[in-house]
Amino acid sequence: TIRGARQLYSTAMAELESTGGQKKLSDTEQVAEVNTSTRKVAPPGSQSHPRAKASRKKQPEGVQSAATPKSKKPQQQRAKENVFTKKLDPGFEDYWTKERVQQGLKRGELVQGVLRINQKNFEEGFVDDPLGGPDYFISGVRNRNRAFQDDIIVVQVLPQDQWIQIPVTEKEVLVPEAKILETVEKSLHELRTDEPSSQRDRTLEEPSSANQTEHPLRETLVDRLYNVPFGMDSIVEAVGKSRYSFNCRRTVKVVFIVEKGHSRACAGHLKAFDREKSVALISPRDNKVPRVIVPLADCPHDYCRTPKKYETTLFICRIQQWAADSPFPLGTLMRSMGEAGEIEPETECFLIENEVDFGDFPPEALDCLPKDLPWNIPKEEVAKRKDFRKECVFSIDPSTAKDLDDALHVRKVDEDVYEVGVHIADVSYFVQAGSALDEVASQRATSVYLVQKVIPMLPGLLCEELCSLNPNEERLTLSVVWRLTSSGEYVSEWIGRSIICSCAKLSYDDAQQMIDHEWKEENLPPISGGFSASHVAEAVTTLNKLAKALRAHRVAKGTLRLDQPKVVFSLNKETGMPSGCSVYRQRESNSLIEEFMLLANMAVAHRIYGAFPKLALLRRHPSPKEKPADQLVSKCASLGIHLDTSSAAAIQASLNCYIQYRGSDNPDNCTLEKMILVVLCSKIMELAQYFCTGSLEEERKFVHYALNVPLYTHFTSPIRRYADIIVHRQLAHALGEGPQFTRTADEVERQAEHCNKKKKAAKIVQELSSQLFFSVFVRKLALKSYNYTLKGCKKIPYLVLVWSKGNGEIKQELTVLTPVDVVLF
């Protein structure tokens, strides 16, 4: 039995999506990804589909539908419109000149932003208001002026008489500031005190915190990482919201495309052709991309004779141009990919559409790798680094991992004082700035993890061998080493280049068995370096205790954690097809690694920002936009759920209070309900972004909202993220242990924007890969199908489903948060 909840919250999210709420990609540092269901739209041939409006007109002779052979009656053929000859009257407006656009931006008459197209309605687009107000609205394809999803565009605000009035039911629910502050105080009080409080006439007992011993005379490591020049007051100010109240949507039109964010590549099916004009029509599967006219010569040679043969064939098309008087762009058919629904063709389509480079590394990049193998660390390099080879260093990763970025060690140095080391692969030693390999890595920007394989950022010799912290191999690293007490109090910190020799490669299962004291030596991987399984097990349990203490301090600062279930697949070794799936469960061993990686990232962020206040590459997470947040609060209130979105801490407090209340009488349903609430809260989150500190004038905007920390960066995964390599170079320069960092602030900012784009594309492809394997797995099970009828839908999401069952019917009444069992036969 698999518990399904997608259909239960889709209605609640519909308004968020259509008014600027967009799908947000989760981040390694606890910004959870929203794994939304595929939105249902009418098929391309239907009357209600936005791209098929033209199909209701007559089609002249000589134009055939791919699904309608010549034997069709003439009347049926003429029911189709000749999309190949249709012209726009008037056509699209000409784009403004660069000079005119620059002047308009300087005067504040124009707005620049990234285009988002509504997945459910192709004719609706949105652009962020840079001042934080409600999104600007683009109504209709003509006003979008040939721009595509993710393009950086410049728009002009239309006159107010063309703005769209918002119905009363869509207006914002504005909450008085005094009420917000009162709610936050109450929620945080219930989380942080041991004093029982009342909630809906039930008593909620705050769980005890044995690890949160107070030592007022000494700061904790977490306190130290929160201590920055602009102070915590600025964080509160940065995440606070200014309230807007608009009764209408501000409409705009596109006047210029600054940069093409969309690849202009799409996967789709051939739908029609015109012999006379020697052209065919591609209908993309992505609803945000228009239909494309391609030369008939690009199509298979027998397509005109046997169009039905290619009805289920996937083709890749690349858009080349879009004339001002044409409703459709012109493109070229790159090639046939294979049958829709098959794993390899679908996967390759995902990669091409999202511009993921999955080809071989060029020879000039491979020439940058060491030639003399097996490679040994030069003696002069060893002399420059701090030596941790005699420490009990080990890695904890998924059992299938080959690119081991990080390792840990811990040892007791004094009474209640421990040394903890976080060791990260020194990839920047091998990837020299400005080299051909560096150029390839900077373009790829990230590794892409699919269900069945990995598209690496770096060649395998580096990913899996020279940089990977494999056991019983000497490796170059950059390390962050703290000394702290068992309660997390800070004693000292050292950051620098180092050398290690890992004694073991533990899986998360191995580490969890050690934490639970259930390990058996015969079930563990080989352990080298003169250490025993008992040594490693003791180190793991010590690290786990320290991680718990540090996490308690960090949670007390007001962090937001939105964990969502992740589906993992077991694959048939011979066929590569999915043979099973399960929900991956986060355990203490995962949290142990996560905690120290987060703290290492924070520590490095402080170090490089102190050295390069206008040049540091950091990572920020803006606070949620008001309108989607207020709409979610209103939706939850209509279901009797109190949700406070005034801060990250307030959201976490609301979730915790709800779980404490609901879990007292129905713990099983509570788990599912919490999952739905987490998904809804994730839906309103903004994307976390890399940025150069010199590109933002106000330090308060550096804040990471979900983690609620003032400075954050990515340092711990240089094998799979190029941003981490930049950070390593900046850190080495700041420490005086590496070459001078020569990039300018503008160059760092451009690289940061490119990394943001590639990280987003990688996340989309990973999600599509998971959905593809799940669909193949479900299809393999040969599910029984039942017909159901939607009988009603009210303001509070409410469905009555009527299922046909033999001679009778079964009625089910569903609302949001109704648990549903989906049985796969």
Side-chain angles (χ1 to χ4, degrees):
T1 301
I2 297 178
R3 292 191 178 272
R6 286 182 171 179
Q7 56 183 321
L8 304 180
Y9 65 79
S10 60
T11 307
M13 291 191 295
E15 188 175 342
L16 296 179
E17 293 167 353
S18 63
T19 56
Q22 60 175 330
K23 187 171 186 176
K24 304 302 175 188
L25 304 177
S26 18
D27 196 27
T28 341
E29 60 277 5
Q30 306 171 349
V31 182
E33 175 191 1
V34 183
N35 188 19
T36 58
S37 58
T38 303
R39 300 180 177 124
K40 295 182 179 179
V41 295
S46 71
Q47 301 258 329
S48 59
H49 192 278
R51 294 203 309 264
K53 289 183 177 180
S55 65
R56 295 192 292 269
K57 297 184 180 180
K58 293 184 179 180
Q59 178 178 358
E61 295 181 8
V63 176
Q64 293 178 237
S65 166
T68 309
K70 285 185 177 180
S71 58
K72 283 266 185 177
K73 294 181 179 180
Q75 295 90 329
Q76 291 175 315
Q77 289 184 0
R78 286 194 297 269
K80 303 281 185 180
E81 179 203 6
N82 189 349
V83 296
F84 304 106
T85 59
K86 180 181 178 182
K87 299 293 183 182
L88 283 183
D89 186 22
F92 293 109
E93 290 187 10
D94 292 333
Y95 294 126
W96 290 16
T97 63
K98 287 186 179 180
E99 294 75 14
R100 186 181 176 189
V101 168
Q102 290 172 353
Q103 293 172 3
L105 289 172
K106 288 180 181 178
R107 291 195 297 265
E109 298 170 354
L110 303 178
V111 177
Q112 180 173 314
V114 178
L115 172 63
R116 305 191 316 271
I117 299 175
N118 189 348
Q119 178 79 17
K120 289 185 174 181
N121 189 341
F122 177 70
E123 296 192 353
E124 290 185 352
F126 303 91
V127 178
D128 288 344
D129 181 353
L131 299 179
D135 293 335
Y136 291 103
F137 181 62
I138 303 176
S139 178
V141 176
R142 196 183 303 276
N143 282 334
R144 197 162 71 238
N145 201 0
R146 297 163 286 174
F148 286 74
Q149 172 78 10
D150 293 328
D151 284 355
I152 300 177
I153 58 176
V154 175
V155 297
Q156 180 186 36
V157 180
L158 297 175
Q160 288 195 22
D161 58 2
Q162 296 184 39
W163 292 7
I164 298 176
Q165 196 73 19
I166 298 177
V168 176
T169 54
E170 293 184 21
K171 288 183 182 178
E172 295 185 38
V173 179
L174 299 181
V175 185
E177 291 293 333
K179 181 64 177 177
I180 291 177
L181 295 175
E182 177 188 342
T183 306
V184 175
E185 292 257 341
K186 181 179 178 182
S187 300
L188 295 179
H189 176 75
E190 290 169 353
L191 278 179
R192 296 178 180 173
T193 65
D194 295 326
E195 186 177 77
S197 62
S198 175
Q199 186 69 234
R200 298 190 189 181
D201 300 323
R202 293 183 182 272
T203 302
L204 302 180
E205 297 289 343
E206 179 68 23
S208 61
S209 294
N211 293 328
Q212 295 190 33
T213 308
E214 293 294 329
H215 297 273
L217 299 180
R218 185 187 256 170
E219 71 173 352
T220 67
L221 174 60
V222 173
D223 290 332
R224 180 179 175 82
L225 295 177
Y226 274 75
N227 184 23
V228 292
F230 52 97
M232 284 301 296
D233 289 342
S234 295
I235 292 186
V236 176
E237 184 181 356
V239 301
K241 303 182 201 173
S242 59
R243 316 297 291 176
Y244 289 83
S245 179
F246 286 92
N247 294 331
C248 51
R249 290 177 176 171
R250 298 170 296 171
T251 55
V252 295
K253 66 178 181 180
V254 176
V255 297
F256 191 73
I257 297 178
V258 178
E259 182 180 332
K260 294 179 179 179
H262 189 275
S263 66
R264 299 309 195 261
C266 59
H269 300 278
L270 287 167
K271 289 295 181 181
F273 63 90
D274 187 328
R275 290 179 184 272
E276 293 181 4
K277 294 187 174 296
S278 298
V279 291
L281 190 70
I282 284 281
S283 180
R285 297 185 305 173
D286 186 349
N287 294 310
K288 292 175 285 189
V289 179
R291 291 178 290 178
V292 184
I293 295 176
V294 297
L296 199 55
D298 290 351
C299 302
H301 68 279
D302 59 343
Y303 170 62
C304 293
R305 295 195 307 273
T306 57
K308 278 195 172 183
K309 177 181 175 181
Y310 297 95
E311 282 183 348
T312 59
T313 302
L314 271 178
F315 292 89
I316 282 288
C317 167
R318 187 168 296 279
I319 296 169
Q320 302 291 352
Q321 59 178 319
W322 196 341
D325 63 347
S326 173
F328 306 115
L330 302 177
T332 56
L333 206 59
M334 296 171 64
R335 69 178 188 270
S336 168
M337 304 301 297
E339 287 296 303
E342 297 296 327
I343 288 178
E344 287 308 315
E346 292 276 5
T347 299
E348 193 167 346
C349 286
F350 299 156
L351 297 173
I352 293 174
E353 286 181 300
N354 290 279
E355 292 188 291
V356 174
D357 184 356
F358 58 96
D360 296 332
F361 287 89
E364 55 271 22
L366 297 177
D367 287 342
C368 300
L369 301 176
K371 300 293 189 299
D372 298 329
L373 301 175
W375 181 81
N376 295 310
I377 301 174
K379 291 182 180 179
E380 57 271 20
E381 190 63 33
V382 174
K384 298 176 185 177
R385 296 171 178 256
K386 191 165 185 175
D387 196 343
F388 290 98
R389 287 177 291 183
K390 294 183 180 180
E391 299 293 344
C392 183
V393 179
F394 52 87
S395 60
I396 303 176
D397 290 280
S399 58
T400 57
K402 295 181 180 179
D403 50 350
L404 311 181
D405 288 287
D406 55 87
L408 298 168
H409 89 266
V410 62
R411 68 184 177 95
K412 191 171 184 178
V413 295
D414 203 348
E415 185 65 30
D416 198 36
V417 177
Y418 297 86
E419 179 182 278
V420 177
V422 176
H423 309 283
I424 307 300
D426 190 357
V427 178
S428 62
Y429 176 85
F430 296 95
V431 183
Q432 295 294 314
S435 66
L437 179 58
D438 183 49
E439 178 63 26
V440 172
S442 69
Q443 287 302 312
R444 293 196 175 201
T446 181
S447 295
V448 181
Y449 291 82
L450 308 176
V451 172
Q452 77 276 34
K453 60 184 176 182
V454 178
I455 311 296
M457 182 184 76
L458 296 171
L461 180 62
L462 293 184
C463 285
E464 301 177 10
E465 297 183 44
L466 301 185
C467 292
S468 183
L469 307 184
N470 297 327
N472 204 26
E473 296 282 352
E474 293 184 354
R475 290 291 181 258
L476 301 176
T477 51
L478 271 164
S479 302
V480 179
V481 182
W482 300 289
R483 290 195 175 185
L484 44 99
T485 68
S486 58
S487 59
E489 294 169 344
Y490 173 83
V491 177
S492 66
E493 179 184 84
W494 178 87
I495 301 178
R497 278 186 148 155
S498 56
I499 181 172
I500 67 165
C501 185
S502 173
C503 69
K505 175 195 173 184
L506 301 179
S507 68
Y508 285 117
D509 289 336
D510 297 331
Q512 189 61 45
Q513 290 173 8
M514 292 177 174
I515 291 171
D516 297 335
H517 303 287
E518 296 176 354
W519 60 275
K520 294 181 180 179
E521 189 165 359
E522 59 269 22
N523 297 331
L524 296 176
I527 297 174
S528 58
F531 298 101
S532 66
S534 298
H535 283 116
V536 177
E538 182 181 358
V540 170
T541 53
T542 301
L543 284 170
N544 189 51
K545 291 177 183 177
L546 292 171
K548 284 184 174 180
L550 293 167
R551 190 181 309 115
H553 291 300
R554 196 166 54 79
V555 169
K557 294 288 186 181
T559 187
L560 172 62
R561 188 179 184 92
L562 298 174
D563 285 332
Q564 294 187 86
K566 176 184 176 183
V567 178
V568 293
F569 299 89
S570 53
L571 304 180
N572 186 300
K573 292 183 179 180
E574 296 181 358
T575 64
M577 299 293 285
S579 57
C581 72
S582 59
V583 176
Y584 186 78
R585 187 163 60 95
Q586 287 276 117
R587 293 179 291 179
E588 284 185 88
S589 56
N590 300 86
S591 300
L592 182 162
I593 294 297
E594 180 185 75
E595 194 62 33
F596 286 110
M597 297 305 113
L598 288 172
L599 294 173
N601 286 335
M602 294 178 204
V604 170
H606 281 259
R607 187 63 64 94
I608 63 175
Y609 179 59
F612 307 109
K614 296 297 183 181
L615 200 61
L617 179 65
L618 300 184
R619 188 162 179 81
R620 61 188 288 264
H621 182 217
S623 57
K625 292 181 182 176
E626 295 174 52
K627 190 161 188 174
D630 289 339
Q631 289 173 335
L632 178 58
V633 169
S634 178
K635 294 290 183 185
C636 289
S638 67
L639 296 168
I641 300 170
H642 169 72
L643 182 65
D644 185 349
T645 60
S646 59
S647 69
I651 294 177
Q652 190 67 62
S654 297
L655 291 173
N656 290 350
C657 289
Y658 178 76
I659 297 309
Q660 287 176 336
Y661 168 71
R662 292 288 289 164
S664 59
D665 57 358
N666 60 346
D668 293 334
N669 289 350
C670 180
T671 301
L672 180 62
E673 293 168 2
K674 178 186 177 183
M675 180 183 72
I676 298 172
L677 285 175
V678 165
V679 171
L680 292 174
C681 289
S682 300
K683 186 72 178 178
I684 66 173
M685 291 293 147
E686 290 292 295
L687 296 172
Q689 303 166 353
Y690 296 112
F691 72 102
C692 176
T693 50
S695 66
L696 294 178
E697 295 180 359
E698 300 176 90
E699 290 175 316
R700 61 180 185 174
K701 293 183 179 179
F702 297 177
V703 173
H704 195 291
Y705 176 82
L707 292 175
N708 198 27
V709 295
L711 297 174
Y712 192 75
T713 193
H714 273 169
F715 159 77
T716 55
S717 297
I719 292 178
R720 62 185 178 90
R721 291 189 306 232
Y722 187 76
D724 299 53
I725 296 179
I726 297 291
V727 169
H728 278 223
R729 290 172 182 165
Q730 292 184 337
L731 179 62
H733 182 191
L735 297 171
E737 298 179 359
Q740 184 175 1
F741 187 79
T742 57
R743 291 199 183 191
T744 65
D746 287 341
E747 290 172 337
V748 173
E749 180 61 21
R750 282 197 297 270
Q751 185 63 57
E753 291 173 355
H754 181 71
C755 288
N756 289 333
K757 176 183 175 181
K758 289 298 185 180
K759 186 175 179 66
K760 179 180 178 181
K763 201 67 179 176
I764 291 172
V765 169
Q766 291 166 22
E767 180 187 307
L768 290 172
S769 177
S770 182
Q771 291 176 358
L772 171 63
F773 271 79
F774 186 74
S775 67
V776 170
F777 175 67
V778 171
R779 190 167 67 240
K780 180 182 174 184
L781 296 177
L783 291 177
K784 293 182 179 179
S785 60
Y786 295 95
N787 295 322
Y788 67 89
T789 306
L790 177 64
K791 304 293 286 189
C793 184
K794 300 182 179 179
K795 182 176 180 181
I796 296 178
Y798 175 85
L799 304 178
V800 179
L801 304 183
V802 180
W803 301 81
S804 301
K805 185 78 171 177
N807 297 326
E809 292 182 340
I810 299 176
K811 290 186 177 181
Q812 287 182 296
E813 296 184 358
L814 307 177
T815 65
V816 170
L817 304 184
T818 299
V820 176
D821 287 337
V822 180
V823 181
L824 305 181
F825 293 95

